Amino acid sequence: MPVGTAGTVKGIRFEELESPDLNAQIILGNTYHLWLRPGIDVIKAAGGLHRFIGWNRALLTDSGGFQVWSLGALRKITEEGTEFRSHVDGSLKFLSPEVSVEVQAALGSDIVMVFDECAPGKATHEETERSMELTTRWAKRSKATFDRLQLEGADTGQIQTSNGLSGRQALFGIVQGAGHFDLRRRSLEQTVEIGFDGYAIGGLSVGEEKSVMFEVIDDLALRMPRDCPRYLMGVGTPEDLIEAVARGVDMFDCVLPTRNGRTGQAFTSRGKLNIKNAQWVKDSRPLDESCNCSVCRRHSRSYLRHLYMSGEMLASILLTHHNLAFFLDTMRRVRQSIRSGVFPKFRREFTERLDANGE
Amino acid sequence: MPVGTAGTVKGIRFEELESPDLNAQIILGNTYHLWLRPGIDVIKAAGGLHRFIGWNRALLTDSGGFQVWSLGALRKITEEGTEFRSHVDGSLKFLSPEVSVEVQAALGSDIVMVFDECAPGKATHEETERSMELTTRWAKRSKATFDRLQLEGADTGQIQTSNGLSGRQALFGIVQGAGHFDLRRRSLEQTVEIGFDGYAIGGLSVGEEKSVMFEVIDDLALRMPRDCPRYLMGVGTPEDLIEAVARGVDMFDCVLPTRNGRTGQAFTSRGKLNIKNAQWVKDSRPLDESCNCSVCRRHSRSYLRHLYMSGEMLASILLTHHNLAFFLDTMRRVRQSIRSGVFPKFRREFTERLDANGE
């Protein structure tokens, strides 16, 4: 899922997200950011987030839990919820499971996430246990609020029908527990017991060693319900996606393709390419000779480097487009290879090529 | 003509410039900027400016005269040419009629401009006369260099054939003389005597009163050769374009639609609209209810205001698109109304509506 924090996937138009190059079926919006700006009353007045931003395909909203957790010293966590200061105007705000799910209902997102607490990557067993148990209690409160709102038929925007979902919107639970396997397993059991439409693995890619991340996924993913989507939050590089898929994960969101695009880094089938490098000054080749996106069909590394060095906005626009095209195309090829029963071969070849760029 | 200073019309992809919304037939590139960065060797290596930037339609390049003139204290003008310091790396550079036309030949632009000197809007008659006579001498040298290069068949990029042009590229002369009618007329006579494929009016919109600009055009435009394009450089607002067309002008370039788009100003059929204004916070209407561009078909003022207030790049992208669509559509309608013999009616109605936005 491309990340559309403030109601826009940075640097790219919705027409491009819908184009065959990208064909994104779902994007992510951030409850925390949208709640603070423009505010829920503005989005409600437009008839929900889909209508406000002009996007008719699916939307997932996170709960704001991770964002307020990231504020560090600026927030105070209690049993009730999290008090924090807005990064926009410094005002005191309060997010709880009830508030988060109510806001996400007003946004009308297709997939709602429970409000969770995230333990630091290197938290002790005791700290992690306390945090994980809080997440479970918050998950129950998130679910209760969600069920009440769905029952009341709160106007949740675009969705008219649901098939096998718990409501007109879908609600996903989040498994926490940092790098502690026993806590991860207990978190999973408790979360599944509450019952959700899908299950996410949260609290990875937050400072722990990458080997820890894969060990957790190794231990956890195949224990997750087979008939529900498994979503690894905030991950990752193309090789991370492939490795997580190999371990049983279905869904991802990550800012890497967009954020790195804006800082001049392209992801290609032969690894990362830094467009600032002087070696591209007269290089007439596209970013990725194996890529068929509109940027690679039209523009050279030489031109893209010139745009970047001149501080031109078009550099960000074009690199973002290519990076999203590469990520989404990679995931399309992953799905095809799974359907054709050749994923192991695809995984091996894909990974081998990634090391070939010579950077 | 949308302005593509550094080989990009800021904030918009070439695919959009080619789309039915905009359908720009020609864009402008700046010799000064491209010469300094990425440098002519880079553009030559790509096979000219068209190939370097990936644009197959027409390109006009200015001569750099106006840009180095704008440097003020940073440049020294002599009979030979202009010495100045690069704004990119501070190095000492020299532009002359010969250098400018050679650079433009290497760029392979479809329309080359002579290297001129621009008198300030409020220059005395004596100052203006000296400057204007220098421009005439430089025009002769520009033409001589141009003829030699065209004869040598210098590789000028995309153009394969020419119909009635002085070479494979076209060369336009520039009429100077500030607000002094006698000098403007003498400049025109001298420029026409040298003989060019088109004629531009330079040195307007540089600080003089707007009434002076229209008096000069009033006096000058209809004296310009009937069978050659008349190009008013660096102008202007939608109403300026209509008024200049009414006085006989054919071509324009201006940064207003792109630059003002980046600072939150939209041009609409009912006048200017500042997207920052609080009155649009929940306004579900498009920027311009009479506009059929992809931005107006999809996005509300409320959403565009949110993007702008959040510092999102997409605000610039979408406002730039709409503004260019509005300018190019206005000029298309001007041409249609002239062909249908109803331009005076179009001019009256267009101007009346512009005052209606209530800002």
Side-chain angles (χ1 to χ4, degrees):
Chain A
M1 292 181 284
V3 175
T5 306
T8 156
V9 179
K10 287 182 195 295
I12 193 156
R13 293 182 60 170
F14 292 107
E15 288 85 351
E16 297 292 345
L17 288 168
E18 293 162 351
S19 73
D21 263 12
L22 276 67
N23 199 17
Q25 301 298 317
I26 180 169
I27 62 174
L28 182 147
N30 283 111
T31 293
Y32 167 82
H33 288 90
L34 293 164
W35 187 47
L36 297 187
R37 188 169 57 193
I40 297 310
D41 60 325
V42 170
I43 297 175
K44 263 186 149 164
L49 186 56
H50 291 85
R51 291 192 187 97
F52 178 64
I53 68 177
W55 172 254
N56 289 317
R57 298 186 178 183
L59 278 169
L60 179 147
T61 45
D62 69 1
S63 65
F66 182 74
Q67 266 79 27
V68 295
W69 174 78
S70 307
L71 293 171
L74 295 170
R75 46 102 178 121
K76 198 176 86 190
I77 298 175
T78 65
E79 181 67 30
E80 184 55 25
T82 307
E83 195 179 70
F84 64 98
R85 290 208 174 269
S86 157
H87 77 280
V88 175
D89 62 8
S91 64
L92 208 57
K93 295 277 181 179
F94 181 73
L95 257 183
S96 66
E98 291 75 17
V99 173
S100 173
V101 171
E102 278 167 16
V103 167
Q104 293 181 74
L107 294 174
S109 44
D110 302 275
I111 301 177
V112 171
M113 301 302 298
V114 298
F115 190 71
D116 62 332
E117 216 256 316
C118 180
K122 285 160 185 170
T124 64
H125 191 277
E126 196 188 336
E127 287 166 346
T128 307
E129 183 170 25
R130 199 166 46 221
S131 166
M132 185 276 283
E133 293 287 353
L134 180 63
T135 286
T136 297
R137 293 192 297 278
W138 283 1
K140 285 180 189 156
R141 285 165 54 191
S142 295
K143 180 78 178 343
T145 304
F146 179 84
D147 286 346
R148 177 176 60 75
L149 289 170
Q150 300 295 308
L151 206 63
E152 287 172 3
D155 179 6
T156 54
Q158 297 292 84
I159 293 192
Q160 301 303 323
T161 59
S162 60
N163 299 308
L165 298 181
S166 56
R168 297 196 299 178
Q169 298 178 292
L171 180 67
F172 279 24
I174 304 178
V175 176
Q176 290 286 358
H180 306 283
F181 291 5
D182 60 325
L183 298 178
R184 284 279 176 188
R185 289 192 191 180
R186 199 195 311 166
S187 177
L188 176 60
E189 280 163 26
Q190 293 173 347
T191 310
V192 170
E193 197 184 316
I194 301 169
F196 293 96
D197 301 308
Y199 296 89
I201 306 174
L204 291 181
S205 202
V206 294
E208 81 285 0
E209 296 292 325
K210 188 156 277 191
S211 60
V212 173
M213 175 173 102
F214 284 117
E215 282 164 21
V216 168
I217 303 171
D218 263 334
D219 191 71
L220 203 64
L222 293 179
R223 298 176 194 273
M224 296 169 78
R226 288 182 66 87
D227 53 350
C228 295
R230 300 163 181 164
Y231 164 27
L232 179 58
M233 302 181 81
V235 175
T237 63
E239 47 271 46
D240 289 342
L241 304 191
I242 302 287
E243 291 310 303
V245 165
R247 290 161 171 81
V249 175
D250 303 306
M251 291 172 62
F252 307 89
D253 78 277
C254 195
V255 296
L256 275 184
T258 43
R259 179 178 294 164
N260 291 22
R262 296 197 301 283
T263 57
Q265 189 175 63
F267 291 91
T268 82
S269 59
R270 291 173 175 270
K272 293 176 198 155
L273 184 156
N274 186 336
I275 201 63
K276 296 185 280 293
N277 284 359
Q279 70 186 109
W280 315 128
V281 69
K282 292 185 184 176
D283 196 314
S284 63
R285 290 175 297 169
L287 287 173
D288 186 345
E289 290 174 287
S290 306
C291 179
N292 194 37
C293 84
S294 57
V295 178
C296 288
R297 288 200 306 271
R298 186 161 199 160
H299 297 300
S300 66
R301 296 178 192 180
S302 169
Y303 178 60
L304 293 167
R305 179 177 188 276
H306 160 65
L307 292 177
Y308 191 87
M309 300 308 282
S310 304
E312 288 289 346
M313 207 193 312
L314 193 60
S316 295
I317 295 171
L318 298 178
L319 285 170
T320 296
H321 182 102
H322 164 77
N323 282 350
L324 285 172
F326 179 70
F327 272 68
L328 289 162
D329 183 58
T330 296
M331 291 308 293
R332 252 189 305 277
R333 289 163 63 212
V334 163
R335 291 192 292 276
Q336 282 162 4
S337 75
I338 292 173
R339 276 194 293 268
S340 317
V342 296
F343 175 73
K345 179 166 174 282
F346 171 84
R347 175 188 180 188
R348 194 175 57 247
E349 291 174 358
F350 184 87
T351 309
E352 280 169 10
R353 291 193 73 190
L354 277 184
D355 298 325
N357 217 19
E359 282 221 15
Chain B
M1 291 182 284
V3 174
T5 306
T8 157
V9 179
K10 286 181 197 295
I12 194 157
R13 293 182 60 170
F14 292 107
E15 288 85 352
E16 298 291 346
L17 289 168
E18 292 163 352
S19 73
D21 264 12
L22 276 67
N23 199 16
Q25 300 299 317
I26 179 168
I27 62 174
L28 181 145
N30 282 112
T31 293
Y32 167 82
H33 288 89
L34 294 165
W35 186 47
L36 297 186
R37 187 170 56 193
I40 297 309
D41 59 325
V42 171
I43 297 175
K44 265 186 148 165
L49 186 56
H50 291 85
R51 292 193 187 98
F52 178 63
I53 68 177
W55 171 253
N56 289 316
R57 298 186 179 184
L59 278 169
L60 179 147
T61 44
D62 70 359
S63 65
F66 182 76
Q67 266 79 27
V68 294
W69 174 78
S70 307
L71 293 172
L74 295 171
R75 46 102 179 120
K76 199 177 86 189
I77 299 175
T78 63
E79 180 68 30
E80 185 54 25
T82 307
E83 196 178 71
F84 63 97
R85 289 209 174 270
S86 157
H87 77 280
V88 175
D89 62 8
S91 64
L92 207 58
K93 294 278 181 178
F94 181 74
L95 257 184
S96 66
E98 290 76 17
V99 173
S100 173
V101 171
E102 278 168 16
V103 168
Q104 293 180 74
L107 294 175
S109 44
D110 302 275
I111 301 178
V112 171
M113 300 302 298
V114 298
F115 189 71
D116 63 333
E117 216 257 317
C118 180
K122 284 161 184 168
T124 63
H125 191 278
E126 196 187 335
E127 287 166 347
T128 307
E129 182 171 24
R130 199 167 46 221
S131 167
M132 184 276 282
E133 293 287 353
L134 180 63
T135 286
T136 297
R137 293 192 297 278
W138 282 2
K140 284 180 191 161
R141 286 165 53 191
S142 295
K143 180 77 176 346
T145 303
F146 178 84
D147 287 345
R148 177 176 59 76
L149 289 169
Q150 300 295 307
L151 206 63
E152 287 173 2
D155 179 6
T156 54
Q158 297 292 82
I159 294 191
Q160 301 303 323
T161 58
S162 61
N163 298 309
L165 298 180
S166 57
R168 296 196 298 178
Q169 298 178 291
L171 181 66
F172 280 23
I174 303 177
V175 176
Q176 290 287 357
H180 306 282
F181 290 6
D182 60 324
L183 298 179
R184 283 280 176 186
R185 290 193 191 180
R186 200 197 308 167
S187 177
L188 176 59
E189 280 164 26
Q190 292 173 347
T191 309
V192 170
E193 198 185 315
I194 300 169
F196 293 97
D197 301 306
Y199 296 89
I201 306 175
L204 290 181
S205 202
V206 293
E208 80 285 1
E209 296 292 324
K210 189 156 277 195
S211 60
V212 172
M213 176 174 99
F214 284 118
E215 282 164 21
V216 167
I217 303 172
D218 262 335
D219 190 71
L220 203 64
L222 293 179
R223 298 176 194 274
M224 294 168 81
R226 289 181 66 88
D227 54 349
C228 294
R230 298 162 181 164
Y231 165 27
L232 179 58
M233 301 180 82
V235 175
T237 64
E239 48 271 46
D240 288 343
L241 304 191
I242 303 287
E243 290 310 304
V245 165
R247 289 162 172 81
V249 175
D250 304 305
M251 290 171 64
F252 306 89
D253 78 277
C254 194
V255 296
L256 275 183
T258 42
R259 178 179 295 164
N260 291 21
R262 295 197 302 282
T263 57
Q265 189 175 63
F267 291 91
T268 82
S269 59
R270 292 172 175 271
K272 291 176 199 155
L273 183 155
N274 187 335
I275 201 65
K276 296 184 281 292
N277 284 358
Q279 70 185 110
W280 315 128
V281 69
K282 291 185 185 176
D283 196 315
S284 63
R285 289 175 298 169
L287 288 173
D288 186 345
E289 291 175 286
S290 306
C291 179
N292 194 38
C293 84
S294 57
V295 178
C296 288
R297 287 199 307 271
R298 185 161 200 160
H299 297 300
S300 65
R301 294 178 194 180
S302 169
Y303 178 59
L304 293 167
R305 180 177 187 276
H306 160 65
L307 292 177
Y308 191 87
M309 300 307 282
S310 304
E312 287 289 345
M313 206 193 313
L314 193 61
S316 295
I317 294 171
L318 297 178
L319 286 170
T320 296
H321 182 102
H322 164 77
N323 282 350
L324 284 173
F326 179 70
F327 271 68
L328 289 162
D329 183 60
T330 297
M331 292 307 294
R332 252 189 304 278
R333 289 163 62 213
V334 163
R335 291 193 292 275
Q336 282 162 3
S337 75
I338 292 173
R339 276 194 293 267
S340 316
V342 296
F343 175 73
K345 180 167 173 284
F346 171 83
R347 175 189 180 187
R348 194 175 57 246
E349 291 174 357
F350 184 88
T351 309
E352 280 169 10
R353 291 193 71 189
L354 276 184
D355 297 326
N357 218 19
E359 284 220 15

